[in-house]
Amino acid sequence: EWLNVQAMGRHLIDLRILAQNELSDFDLEKQSDLPSLLKFLGISPTEYHAPPANNSIKKELQQHLQLLQILSSSLSPKLFSLTKWCPFNYGMMNHLSPMSKVESLLFREYIHRKHSVPKPYEQFSLAPLPAETFFSGIFSDVLLVSFHLLPARIAVQEHIVPRTDQINVFEKLLQELFQLISDHPSSRGLQLQKAATDLLEAFPEYLTHSKGLFNDPMCAEQLYILRSAAMEQSLKQFEPFNTIVIHYDADGYYLRLPENVIGAVNIKKFVERLSVQLPYGTNFIAQKMFQTMLAYNKRNFVLLDEQQRIIIRGSALQQRGMERFLRVLIHRTIECLFMQDAARIHHTFASAHTQIVHHRWSPADFCKIETAKESLDLYQHAVATGNRQRTPAMEAALRAGYFVKSGEKLSYYLTGTDPESDPLLNSKLGVEWDSMAPDENTAHYLKRLQETIEKFQIFFEPIAFQQLISLDELFPFSPAGITIIERKLIPSAPSSKMENDNYGIWLADSE
């Protein structure tokens, strides 16, 4: 709890937060060991040597502190550069969102000039940027390339600034940040460049900030249209280079590289050739290389990075709150697809089916989790007055006479025999399940299993997929003739650009 600790003359920096601000895919809760974190950040501790198995505790702690020092020395300079620009101290800067940093620069200049600040526009939101999957299937050697500061370049060149910025601070700050990047091209100014780049990425997004003093829905929509057009126009850039665009979205373009592009040097040259004649004078930058990509549909795909980590994007394959046995099924099926192992997919599905039919599992495998928002008394009163919807877990707690306090996590499962049973009427708490007399709704969970495995049908021919999930015991399963196929998908019609939300209450933004 960093707020509860003070050291006079010092700023306490939580390195976990400092690292998390640099990462998007790395899960610090699951992979918190320092060597893995440093490797993911691209930091090579040349002087560090892993401790031997019989090393003393003292030496292990010294080496652990050495890694912490390397991590701090690598990440702190950028934060220090931001602290020199924004009106916050070094410790506080580590906990601010990019939007807060941008607004602090604008607000400080208005206060300095003794100029009144504007009232924010009403809350609004933009639809997600265009995204498209052009192929489904399994692809190897996939490169993610993205535009370098495209929204900020559009804002500067098209003079897209908040209408309420009466003293033109927004555009001047953008120009100064771009100038700072061009004035410090050497490695000595690398951290300064990173700090300026972070702010340049945040400035255009600030226009859509619901509680930002200088937000502007009209300018945000104009920037959205120009950025979307530039992204779609740039798709033509890949045609002469014998490369396939598998998917593109706000993060960039996922490309299957030509066979002759091998190694970091050739990839760099290839990206430079792709960057010729891009709109607004921007260029592509290689973000990351992936060993394998499982392309599913728009905004839904799975990546296998060079550290053998599986990254699932989108919710089509795995939804939040899904039962554990289905999450395990999805992860194992994805692993089998990456290895092109049809026999293991069949075995995984058959094992899950047997597990359900013969009750060879525990409540943790098939229960869903719900967090109680209030005690049972308050829940009943809110339901009676129409201010609250009934939920399966709370209804199960009522039937069981279980004491519930606010914030408690309740696990529940469904009983009965109807696969379409009503969760509100047939829910029971996980603690009530008895392995000697199991009463979970087998038909319901078999239906859930079938629906989940059918999500992978797109990767096979219909006959091959039915053979893959067949549980016929008369004929042994054979993977012969079952192959993963690539499909060319038809692009969908573009969605609307603007979504107006007239909410009466502003919700606090997470920092």
Side-chain angles (χ1 to χ4, degrees):
E1 295 293 338
W2 66 279
L3 286 172
N4 297 332
V5 182
Q6 293 183 354
M8 297 301 295
R10 294 290 182 268
H11 296 281
L12 302 179
I13 301 297
D14 188 340
L15 290 180
R16 180 178 292 270
I17 297 177
L18 192 62
Q20 190 68 66
N21 291 338
E22 293 289 318
L23 307 172
S24 58
D25 299 323
F26 193 86
D27 193 337
L28 284 173
E29 298 299 329
K30 295 181 180 179
Q31 301 178 2
S32 57
D33 59 300
L34 281 168
S36 299
L37 177 58
L38 290 171
K39 183 179 179 181
F40 191 80
L41 287 167
I43 301 170
S44 301
T46 55
E47 300 179 358
Y48 172 76
H49 301 284
N54 58 352
N55 205 354
S56 67
I57 295 177
K58 181 179 179 181
K59 288 185 177 179
E60 286 186 14
L61 289 174
Q62 288 175 337
Q63 289 170 325
H64 187 79
L65 289 172
Q66 180 187 355
L67 289 178
L68 286 173
Q69 182 63 45
I70 293 171
L71 179 65
S72 176
S73 300
S74 300
L75 299 181
S76 295
K78 188 180 80 170
L79 180 66
F80 186 74
S81 297
L82 289 170
T83 305
K84 291 194 293 184
W85 300 336
C86 300
F88 295 100
N89 64 42
Y90 189 61
M92 182 60 70
M93 279 296 296
N94 195 29
H95 299 269
L96 294 178
S97 67
M99 301 298 183
S100 298
K101 295 169 186 174
V102 170
E103 179 154 291
S104 71
L105 295 173
L106 297 167
F107 186 73
R108 180 182 59 185
E109 188 63 22
Y110 269 71
I111 295 299
H112 177 69
R113 299 192 191 184
K114 299 181 180 179
H115 197 289
S116 60
V117 295
K119 177 184 177 183
Y121 284 96
E122 292 185 3
Q123 185 168 349
F124 64 96
S125 64
L126 287 171
L129 282 165
E132 198 64 67
T133 296
F134 298 100
F135 293 88
S136 68
I138 308 293
F139 304 89
S140 57
D141 298 328
V142 176
L143 177 67
L144 171 60
V145 298
S146 63
F147 290 109
H148 183 53
L149 300 175
L150 175 63
R153 294 179 191 275
I154 295 174
V156 170
Q157 295 181 33
E158 300 293 341
H159 304 288
I160 299 177
V161 296
R163 288 169 292 168
T164 52
D165 182 13
Q166 298 181 4
I167 56 178
N168 198 28
V169 178
F170 191 92
E171 186 172 20
K172 288 181 179 177
L173 284 172
L174 282 175
Q175 292 171 347
E176 288 182 10
L177 287 169
F178 272 116
Q179 186 64 40
L180 189 147
I181 289 178
S182 62
D183 289 345
H184 295 81
S186 65
S187 58
R188 292 177 58 188
L190 182 61
Q191 296 298 333
L192 202 63
Q193 280 189 328
K194 288 183 178 180
T197 299
D198 281 3
L199 287 175
L200 284 170
E201 290 175 346
F203 262 86
E205 295 182 12
Y206 176 78
L207 294 172
T208 66
H209 187 31
S210 60
K211 297 174 68 174
L213 293 172
F214 299 89
N215 67 3
D216 194 325
M218 184 179 295
C219 289
E221 183 178 14
Q222 183 185 0
L223 184 60
Y224 175 98
I225 294 170
L226 293 173
R227 183 181 180 184
S228 302
M231 291 173 63
E232 294 178 1
Q233 176 188 345
S234 299
L235 285 171
K236 302 176 183 178
Q237 197 73 13
F238 305 103
E239 295 176 0
F241 294 96
N242 192 30
T243 185
I244 293 178
V245 181
I246 304 168
H247 175 92
Y248 89 100
D249 55 22
D251 291 334
Y253 302 85
Y254 293 85
L255 312 175
R256 181 165 69 178
L257 292 175
E259 295 180 356
N260 61 337
V261 179
I262 302 173
V265 175
N266 289 328
I267 290 176
K268 182 179 179 182
K269 292 180 180 179
F270 177 72
V271 173
E272 289 175 354
R273 292 198 300 271
L274 287 177
S275 301
V276 177
Q277 296 181 346
L278 286 179
Y280 298 100
T282 187
N283 60 284
F284 283 130
I285 55 174
Q287 292 282 13
K288 197 169 183 182
M289 191 76 186
F290 298 96
Q291 288 188 8
T292 316
M293 178 177 183
L294 185 151
Y296 188 61
N297 57 28
K298 186 163 69 172
R299 303 186 194 280
N300 291 276
F301 51 91
V302 184
L303 301 166
L304 179 69
D305 67 8
E306 295 179 330
Q307 286 80 37
Q308 300 296 311
R309 295 184 313 112
I310 292 177
I311 304 165
I312 300 177
R313 293 291 176 84
S315 59
L317 288 174
Q318 179 174 284
Q319 294 89 17
R320 182 179 297 179
M322 180 179 281
E323 298 93 328
R324 188 169 73 178
F325 82 97
L326 295 179
R327 295 199 306 271
V328 171
L329 174 76
I330 288 171
H331 279 264
R332 289 181 179 172
T333 303
I334 290 172
E335 291 173 357
C336 296
L337 287 170
F338 281 151
M339 294 185 293
Q340 309 275 329
D341 192 340
R344 277 192 60 196
I345 296 177
H346 172 79
H347 176 72
T348 299
F349 174 73
S351 297
H353 189 277
T354 301
Q355 182 185 37
I356 296 172
V357 172
H358 297 285
H359 312 285
R360 296 174 183 169
W361 53 3
S362 67
D365 293 313
F366 56 87
C367 281
K368 285 189 173 183
I369 306 297
E370 180 183 314
T371 302
K373 297 181 179 180
E374 64 277 284
S375 65
L376 275 180
D377 291 340
L378 293 177
Y379 167 79
Q380 287 180 289
H381 180 266
V383 169
T385 56
N387 296 323
R388 178 82 153 83
Q389 295 291 330
R390 296 164 65 198
T391 64
M394 296 297 278
E395 293 297 314
L398 279 173
R399 286 189 287 269
Y402 185 81
F403 175 77
V404 178
K405 59 182 179 180
S406 178
E408 183 176 356
K409 293 186 181 298
L410 302 172
S411 64
Y412 70 94
Y413 66 97
L414 300 187
T415 62
T417 58
D418 184 359
E420 304 292 341
S421 61
D422 188 349
L424 295 176
L425 300 177
N426 296 280
S427 58
K428 287 185 70 173
L429 294 180
V431 295
E432 298 182 83
W433 188 77
D434 184 1
S435 60
M436 302 302 294
D439 61 346
E440 72 272 19
N441 191 331
T442 301
H444 168 77
Y445 291 109
L446 287 176
K447 179 173 180 287
R448 293 276 290 151
L449 177 71
Q450 185 71 23
E451 292 172 345
T452 302
I453 197 64
E454 286 178 356
K455 293 180 179 182
F456 298 96
Q457 187 171 358
I458 190 175
F459 301 111
F460 303 91
E461 294 291 352
I463 296 177
F465 181 76
Q466 291 304 319
Q467 180 184 348
L468 188 69
I469 64 172
S470 173
L471 300 176
D472 190 351
E473 297 180 355
L474 293 178
F475 302 97
F477 171 77
S478 172
I482 300 178
T483 58
I484 300 172
I485 61 175
E486 296 178 6
R487 301 178 190 269
K488 188 171 183 178
L489 305 178
I490 300 174
S492 59
S495 59
S496 59
K497 296 181 290 298
M498 198 73 174
E499 294 180 354
N500 293 318
D501 298 318
N502 297 319
Y503 299 123
I505 300 176
W506 279 345
L507 300 178
D509 297 322
S510 59
E511 296 294 338

